[in-house]
Amino acid sequence: MGDRDKGRDHGWDRGMQGRRNGGTTADPVAHVSFVHVSQSTRVLARTLDPRWDQALLFHRVLLYGDPRGVRDEPPAVVVEVFDKEGEGAGSLLGRCVCTPHVWLDLGCRQPPRLRRYPLEGPGGPAGELLAAFELLHEAEVRGEQGGEARGHPEPEGALAQLSTPPWRDGTFSVPLGIRPLLRLVALEVLAWGLRGLRGRSPLPVRAPSLEVQCGGQVLRTPPIADLAANPNFPINAFLLPLVRARGRGGGAAHRGGGGAAPGGGGGFPPPCPQVYSCELEEVPEFEGLQDFCQTFPLYQPGGPLGAGEDPVPVGEFKGLFCLYPLPEDPGVPPPPRHFQELPPSQPQQCLVRVYIVRAFDLSPRDRNGLCDPYVRVSLGAKSLGQRDQYVPNTVEPVFGRMFEVTGTIPLDKDLRVSLLDYDLLPPDQEIGSTTIDLENRLLSRFRAHCGLPRLYRTAGPGRWRDQLSPSRALEHFARTQGGHGAPAVVRGLGLAESGPPAHRHPGAPRERLALHVLRACRLVPEHLETRTLYNSTQPGLEQGKVQMWVDVFPASLGPPGPPIDITPRKPQRYELRCVVWNTRDVDLRDTNVAGQRMSDIYVTGWLDGLEEQRQRTDVHYRSLQGDGSFNWRFVFPFEYLAAERLCVLPRKEHFWSLDETVQKLPPKLILQVWDNDMFTADDFLGVLELELSRLPQPARSPQDCALTPRPSRWPWRGARGPPHLSLFRQKRVKGWWPCTVQEGSKRRLSGKLELSLELLKAKEAEERPAGKGREEPNMYPALQPPLRPEGSFLWLQAPLRSLRYGLWRRHRCRIVLGLILLLLLALILTFIYAAPVSAGMLLGRPDLISPLSWVPLGTPRHHPSLWESDHRSSMWSPGGGGEMRPPRPFGGKTGSAVPSSGDRRREKHSKKALR
């Protein structure tokens, strides 16, 4: 099924960037193509801002398919703009693809609105097309089914009921409901000057002038006589009074407007120097510092660029455009012109002070992931900065340097700050750079050449450094704002100050009040801006940031104040003395021979980042309750930077490193409690980390020591004070702190440490020396050996004492009872053994005495050849007076048995018994 549609193209005008043969004009014509049909507009001669004011009608274009599908995805309209050259088609200036608005129900049709479509030329963007496109649907009438596509029948000839666009000069023009409203406006041009202009030839540009085309009118400025001596135009303000502005509703269009005057807002700036996280030009309240004039890049006219190439500017135009409406009634006077109070356009000598504070997030250049940056400042042909003043091995250097250079503005308007990486063999690599337009800061009404301080001082570190006093600066600001002098500033000082100034050297009340008024005008305060660094080899990719500020002082206003000293503060030498007195309730990890839980406690300590200074106490052996006594002193020297509250740790990463790497860490004391083991690894019992600048309040007794502070049990002692304190202020503190151990995701109390901390400067430490541990000089305070229990010793040194303290104290009753039982058993056995002899002696019966008493030495007791067979016979001879004689051995020989000393005693006792 085919439907007949009617396409309408309402082309108003366009702005183009095309050129013909490198010229500044063209003869544009637009070719409009839709599906399989096309039409062209008329040719406009010698203009880059053609206004066709023409409507192109495409009648009865046949489209196939469902009308609803056409509405959802309408065919595209292609518009091509050519530069007409003779009889040929001409050269292409730009092309755009447009989408028409589809109307299926003509009863609901509304006039289309003009839209801007960007034109893409062979070399990139080529301007804009202001046009409107609509596609009107007319269904074929076939009996009763006509117009079913819309859900209800459409009356035949609905397109014929639409009004035809007006016919003018042989073409259809844009209807009144679509064409934009016209209004008389004035275009005021501030042509300040040209910067960095270079031509196609290597020769310098001579006598350049500016040509401005707008609405068919051309403005040409007088040429600049000597671009090298003064790049500003001799006449700066121009007016084009009859420029027609386009728009609907009568609103005036402002492009590159003059900007609102600063000030007039309520409130005051923050009391401290402002730190901006971006460039000063990016701060919204300062309008990019282009309130006086803006910078427009200039490009060479010529052929198309290659694919992916960007046009290269050949210079800059400093100026401003202000567009405002004119009254329709000729009798009404026009509004006052904007560009009246202009500063002198002659070049002026200026003193420029560049303060480079620090840089961060720098792109590394060395293999270790760091770089050795140093600063180089360039203004015109002058360059400052030395290679040997680099900061080694860092991507966050602190420079703290001030560079002072003189230059002529606007000839030397671009200040370039570069960061380079120092290499042992030049050339050095550039990390990144940033460029500052000093002319904009000098000409801005926001007074960006020197920030306003918070207080006015006539002496001291914060002395007023501007060339103009606050009252003179206020008068100058009032003149630039169109006033007739400064307001009266000698009254109402009480509104600015609630009392007498608390700072030293406050200056005159008139000056303080003038500064108060200036700060109320929202001018640039004393600030620190953060600028992004870029590298030409990697355009568009950030290479880091630098924090800095710039002061510009014109020589015509007199000498400036003294510069600010921003030299980095050097760290101060400190000595931390930590005395470990006692421990309580430490975890018990070992078991002794008696089955008791115990620990051999010792404490180690060091400052974070200075692990090579690790120190340890002696060992408190055999602690059964988790209590330990040490009286041991740790001494830790370190360097501390009070401004940043960080410890400075310079060290060489490798022995072949040429420079030291400076590391900054918070001052943190780390103490660990361990259980000493002889044959296995020591057991970790707990840790205590104390940040010296934020030290938790210690407890007065071990009972009050806990992970969370407990309220005092004695109300008359009052509050504990703040939860944290700074050892750098209090210098000395003593008390109990909790040790913790990590168990899963929670920390558990594993012991308590009694410490005394004392912080001394290097000079104080020399005046009051103290040794480590209990070594000499043992002073401040003098540490005595700890009073430990008798059982605190190493078991390998005295194993018997270990048994004494391990077994005796716990099982002494059982041991005594066992010894008694053993003694009784020995006595019983002795009695049983000696009972026959003793009984025979007591009863006077020698026969009861065992014959084994006279056994020869070395002879077995039961040898059968030693004695007579009848050994039961009497061993007493009939003669001899009752003396006992030794028995004779078999064989009749004597002398084979020798009595022992014990036998002799026994014989003597036997004789006494017989008597």
Side-chain angles (χ1 to χ4, degrees), residues 652-658:
K652 288 188 177 183
E653 294 184 352
H654 309 284
F655 69 90
W656 62 80
S657 300
L658 297 178

Side-chain angles (χ1 to χ4, degrees), residues 111 124 168 173 192 237 245 249 264 268 414 489 516 582 600 709 718 732 817 897:
R168 295 178 183 172
S173 61
W192 188 249
F268 298 95
D414 291 330
V489 296
H516 170 77
N582 301 292
D600 299 331
R732 189 180 295 105
L817 182 60

Side-chain angles (χ1 to χ4, degrees), residues 232 251 270 628 706 793:
N232 293 333
F793 58 89

Side-chain angles (χ1 to χ4, degrees), residues 284-368:
E285 58 186 290
F286 301 140
E287 302 178 8
L289 301 181
Q290 296 189 9
D291 52 287
F292 177 78
C293 64
Q294 298 182 5
T295 304
F296 301 93
L298 301 176
Y299 300 95
Q300 277 278 11
L305 298 174
E309 295 183 5
D310 295 331
V312 179
V314 296
E316 294 177 348
F317 164 64
K318 287 276 188 177
L320 199 64
F321 301 92
C322 184
L323 192 67
Y324 53 89
L326 292 176
E328 299 290 342
D329 188 0
V332 178
R337 299 180 60 175
H338 285 70
F339 306 126
Q340 293 183 0
E341 296 289 338
L342 299 178
S345 61
Q346 297 296 325
Q348 50 184 333
Q349 284 287 120
C350 295
L351 175 66
V352 182
R353 290 174 179 169
V354 185
Y355 297 87
I356 309 295
V357 180
R358 71 184 186 106
F360 56 93
D361 295 341
L362 296 181
S363 177
R365 289 295 185 271
D366 297 337
R367 293 183 177 180
N368 57 358

Side-chain angles (χ1 to χ4, degrees), residues 39-331:
Q39 295 187 34
S40 301
T41 63
R42 64 180 184 270
V43 180
L44 300 181
R46 303 185 62 80
T47 179
L48 291 178
D49 192 11
R51 185 168 55 194
W52 287 289
D53 189 12
Q54 188 172 347
L56 303 179
L57 307 180
F58 296 85
H59 294 281
R60 297 186 178 274
V61 179
L62 187 61
L63 301 179
Y64 293 91
D66 188 2
R68 289 190 292 268
V70 175
R71 178 190 58 191
D72 297 337
E73 297 182 1
V77 179
V78 180
V79 181
E80 297 177 320
V81 181
F82 290 88
D83 181 13
K84 187 67 175 177
E85 299 177 357
E87 299 297 333
S91 59
L92 178 65
L93 297 179
R95 177 189 294 109
C96 65
V97 179
C98 313
T99 302
H101 189 84
V102 181
W103 296 99
L104 298 181
D105 187 1
L106 299 182
C108 301
R109 173 185 176 271
Q110 296 179 358
R113 298 181 63 88
L114 296 175
R115 291 180 55 190
R116 295 186 179 273
Y117 298 93
L119 292 173
E120 291 293 333
E128 292 179 342
L129 173 70
L130 182 62
F133 304 90
E134 58 179 348
L135 183 61
L136 309 178
H137 175 259
E138 180 183 9
E140 292 184 355
V141 181
R142 295 184 179 179
E144 296 180 356
Q145 297 181 357
E148 292 295 328
R150 300 183 307 276
H152 59 276
E154 181 183 351
E156 184 178 0
L159 287 175
Q161 299 178 6
L162 297 177
S163 60
T164 305
W167 181 265
R168 295 178 183 172
D169 300 332
T171 59
F172 291 103
S173 61
V174 180
L176 293 178
I178 301 176
R179 72 168 52 235
L181 299 177
L182 301 182
R183 188 173 184 178
L184 292 177
V185 296
L187 176 63
E188 195 168 348
V189 179
L190 173 63
W192 188 249
L194 301 175
R195 306 290 182 261
L197 191 63
R198 60 182 182 273
R200 294 182 176 179
S201 62
L203 298 177
V205 179
R206 297 182 179 179
S209 62
L210 179 69
E211 181 179 301
V212 180
Q213 298 182 10
C214 184
Q217 297 192 22
V218 179
L219 170 66
R220 291 184 177 85
T221 64
I224 299 176
D226 190 353
L227 189 63
N230 184 7
N232 293 333
F233 291 101
I235 302 176
N236 303 112
F238 303 91
L239 180 66
L240 294 178
L242 296 177
V243 177
R244 295 181 179 267
R246 296 170 295 280
R248 302 193 67 179
H254 297 270
R255 302 189 62 183
F268 298 95
C272 299
Q274 184 69 42
V275 178
Y276 296 111
S277 60
C278 59
E279 290 83 355
L280 190 62
E281 291 82 1
E282 300 297 330
V283 179
E285 58 186 290
F286 301 140
E287 302 178 8
L289 301 181
Q290 296 189 9
D291 52 287
F292 177 78
C293 64
Q294 298 182 5
T295 304
F296 301 93
L298 301 176
Y299 300 95
Q300 277 278 11
L305 298 174
E309 295 183 5
D310 295 331
V312 179
V314 296
E316 294 177 348
F317 164 64
K318 287 276 188 177
L320 199 64
F321 301 92
C322 184
L323 192 67
Y324 53 89
L326 292 176
E328 299 290 342
D329 188 0

Side-chain angles (χ1 to χ4, degrees), residues 28-41:
V29 58
H31 297 286
V32 182
S33 302
F34 179 69
V35 192
H36 57 278
V37 295
S38 63
Q39 295 187 34
S40 301
T41 63

Side-chain angles (χ1 to χ4, degrees), residues 655-698:
F655 69 90
W656 62 80
S657 300
L658 297 178
D659 302 293
E660 293 181 338
T661 301
V662 178
Q663 187 179 10
K664 296 181 180 179
L665 295 175
K668 182 187 296 183
L669 174 65
I670 301 177
L671 299 173
Q672 291 181 349
V673 184
W674 292 82
D675 173 31
N676 182 68
D677 291 331
M678 182 62 62
F679 302 107
T680 60
D682 296 349
D683 297 326
F684 176 72
L685 301 180
V687 64
L688 172 62
E689 296 183 358
L690 299 175
E691 188 171 346
L692 304 184
S693 59
R694 187 177 170 81
L695 197 67
Q697 282 280 2

